[in-house]
Amino acid sequence: MRLSTEEKAMLAGEQGKATQKAMEILVALGTIYGAEHMVPVTSVQIAGVSYDNLGEAGLHFLTEMEQGGGKARVLTTLNPAGMDVENWQSLGIEAEFAEKQIQVIEAFASMNVITTCTCTPYLTGNVPHFGEHIAWAESSAVCYANSVLGARSNREGGPSALAAAITGRTPAYGMHLDGDRRPQVTFDVQAALLENDDFGALGKAIGEHLQALEGKPVPYIRGVNEATLESLKSFAASLATYGGAALFHMGGITPEAGQYEPPGDPIPITPAGLSAAKIEMTDGDVSDADFVSLGCPHLSIKEIARIAELLEGKQVVKEFWITTARPIKQVADRMGYTETIEASGAIFAADTCCVVAPIKGRFKALVTDSAKACYYAAGKNHFQTILKPFDEVVFAALGESQPEAAT
Ligand code: F3S
């Protein structure tokens, strides 16, 4: 790789041990992927924050980087941790785990990383603009940033994201290059899309097609007439989960779509295909569910307002986690939504989520509106899953089977 004078100095150890290690990681990565040079980044988002995923080896790596003088030189935030940092006791987290998780957060803080733990950094001030080069790690956020914001990020691992934060660089390959952002396959959506679970099912249907195609091509999606921020975050999460995609173009919706003609013969996504995707994500019954969660990806303030509206004056009958970023929770506090939600018995789980928290085996079946949460609840935590539209998830927590009951 061609390195600038400053990058060579970093690699030679002239800016400290952690910077040297970080540059070694990036050069190795760039060499593997054939990058010719580095590109400066303006924003980083680091995954691998939950101690449940990181373990002792991960904590040791962070401590080494911290002791080696590593400091983030660009805006850097974190992915969800394994617990609500302020309120972990109410989530049933063990004190021993909490102690380790706090050590992880403190190590990041001492490296100048902003310890907002969220998979929706674009809702909390870490918002790159069109064309900006960034190094993000959370798959749903990478897919959202590339596709909806038009920023440019490969899906980084925890160490390479930290290395990008410390050096302010990432190797120029993949999503950073124009050529790799071109759509190669077209999907024609013929099904109506109303709610997050519809967009999640669409992500699964298209994602599974991508997995079966050679080289996991960048999809161009046509036939979607409107989509909200919330439905696009659901779609990006699902497409990344089921298809490993880091980028999609959606005609009339995403900013780069207009640069391209939809390529090739379109693959239809029919109403039957969408229904089949939903059915495949449901292997339990609401009446048997003992866990309900909304907020995968983390909830927007608009979604929290809706939950508060539905829970007003009522009591939940199942454990119900509301997962969001700390700054969004603080807005909910100010608006009185938190008081309404907590009076119902539902629990805020800020900084974390139902996938990264250490709750394997603790529940039998999860009700959610998230296709991504279904995938990991089944695969990682061994729960049965029930996919429902947003409002119906809240009704499930209330033990109300009829949506009309809450209007
Ligand atoms: Fe975010 Fe956790 Fe879902 S990190 S995308 S809420 S699995």
Side-chain angles (χ1 to χ4, degrees):
M1 287 182 75
R2 250 181 9 255
L3 297 183
S4 68
T5 308
E6 190 184 7
E7 289 157 1
K8 283 181 189 159
M10 291 182 195
L11 193 59
E14 291 169 24
Q15 297 188 14
K17 276 204 166 118
T19 306
Q20 182 178 32
K21 177 81 190 158
M23 189 49 83
E24 283 170 4
I25 291 170
L26 297 179
V27 168
L29 195 64
T31 305
I32 290 168
Y33 287 101
E36 292 177 2
H37 57 90
M38 298 286 173
V39 64
V41 294
T42 48
S43 159
V44 172
Q45 192 254 4
I46 299 176
V49 178
S50 172
Y51 182 73
D52 199 35
N53 300 333
L54 211 51
E56 232 12 57
L59 178 56
H60 180 72
F61 171 72
L62 290 180
T63 309
E64 247 182 29
M65 296 301 269
E66 179 196 355
Q67 289 172 351
K71 299 279 180 207
R73 58 178 89 192
V74 298
L75 175 66
T76 303
T77 57
L78 297 175
N79 214 31
M83 62 184 201
D84 185 312
V85 175
E86 293 179 10
N87 193 26
W88 49 270
Q89 290 95 337
S90 71
L91 301 181
I93 303 292
E94 304 278 340
E96 199 184 332
F97 179 91
E99 193 185 321
K100 292 289 186 185
Q101 185 62 74
I102 287 164
Q103 281 177 31
V104 169
I105 303 276
E106 285 175 351
F108 280 121
S110 71
M111 289 190 274
N112 282 355
V113 172
I114 294 171
T115 55
T116 300
C117 302
T118 184
C119 49
T120 56
Y122 47 86
L123 296 181
T124 61
N126 191 354
V127 198
H129 60 64
F130 186 88
E132 206 167 351
H133 293 278
I134 62 174
W136 284 15
E138 157 57 31
S139 65
S140 66
V142 169
C143 192
Y144 187 95
N146 276 317
S147 313
V148 181
L149 304 179
R152 296 180 168 224
S153 182
N154 289 315
R155 186 188 171 189
E156 302 296 338
S160 68
L162 179 60
I166 289 172
T167 60
R169 309 286 201 283
T170 196
Y173 71 94
M175 290 293 107
H176 295 284
L177 307 179
D178 289 343
D180 287 14
R181 297 177 69 88
R182 294 191 69 80
Q184 296 145 302
V185 59
T186 300
F187 291 91
D188 188 23
V189 179
Q190 299 169 358
L193 303 168
L194 299 172
E195 303 248 9
N196 289 349
D197 62 314
D198 297 323
F199 279 86
L202 181 68
K204 179 176 189 292
I206 294 178
E208 288 176 349
H209 274 291
L210 296 180
Q211 292 283 12
L213 295 168
E214 204 184 323
K216 280 198 256 164
V218 173
Y220 185 104
I221 298 152
R222 67 183 201 193
V224 178
N225 297 325
E226 51 179 328
T228 62
L229 180 156
E230 287 78 10
S231 53
L232 289 170
K233 79 178 161 70
S234 288
F235 178 69
S238 181
L239 190 69
T241 299
Y242 292 92
L247 169 66
F248 64 88
H249 300 293
M250 195 176 268
I253 306 276
T254 61
E256 286 169 65
Q259 297 175 17
Y260 306 108
E261 284 301 315
D265 292 334
I267 298 171
I269 302 293
T270 62
L274 210 67
S275 298
K278 285 186 187 174
I279 289 166
E280 284 163 16
M281 288 185 276
T282 296
D283 67 347
D285 192 84
V286 168
S287 58
D288 296 331
D290 51 357
F291 187 34
V292 178
S293 184
L294 282 170
C296 175
H298 273 172
L299 293 164
S300 67
I301 193 65
K302 184 174 147 193
E303 290 174 312
I304 292 175
R306 178 64 180 159
I307 295 170
E309 189 183 346
L310 294 172
L311 290 179
E312 174 96 54
K314 301 188 174 185
Q315 285 296 305
V316 299
V317 297
K318 299 178 194 288
E319 180 142 341
F320 183 15
W321 286 18
I322 315 287
T323 65
T324 192
R326 176 74 49 197
I328 300 293
K329 159 85 166 38
Q330 286 163 343
V331 179
D333 294 348
R334 190 168 324 132
M335 294 305 295
Y337 303 147
T338 303
E339 200 178 341
T340 303
I341 288 170
E342 290 184 341
S344 77
I347 305 169
F348 262 97
D351 317 311
T352 188
C353 77
C354 67
V355 169
V356 298
I359 54 172
K360 184 174 177 179
R362 200 165 113 195
F363 301 104
K364 182 178 163 219
L366 168 73
V367 187
T368 176
D369 72 334
S370 164
K372 176 172 179 177
C374 286
Y375 181 90
Y376 286 103
K380 175 174 181 268
N381 287 334
H382 302 169
F383 303 155
Q384 291 175 330
T385 55
I386 300 114
L387 183 77
K388 289 282 180 191
F390 190 92
D391 286 6
E392 288 185 41
V393 174
V394 180
F395 303 141
L398 291 167
E400 296 175 356
S401 53
Q402 299 299 319
E404 298 75 38
T407 59

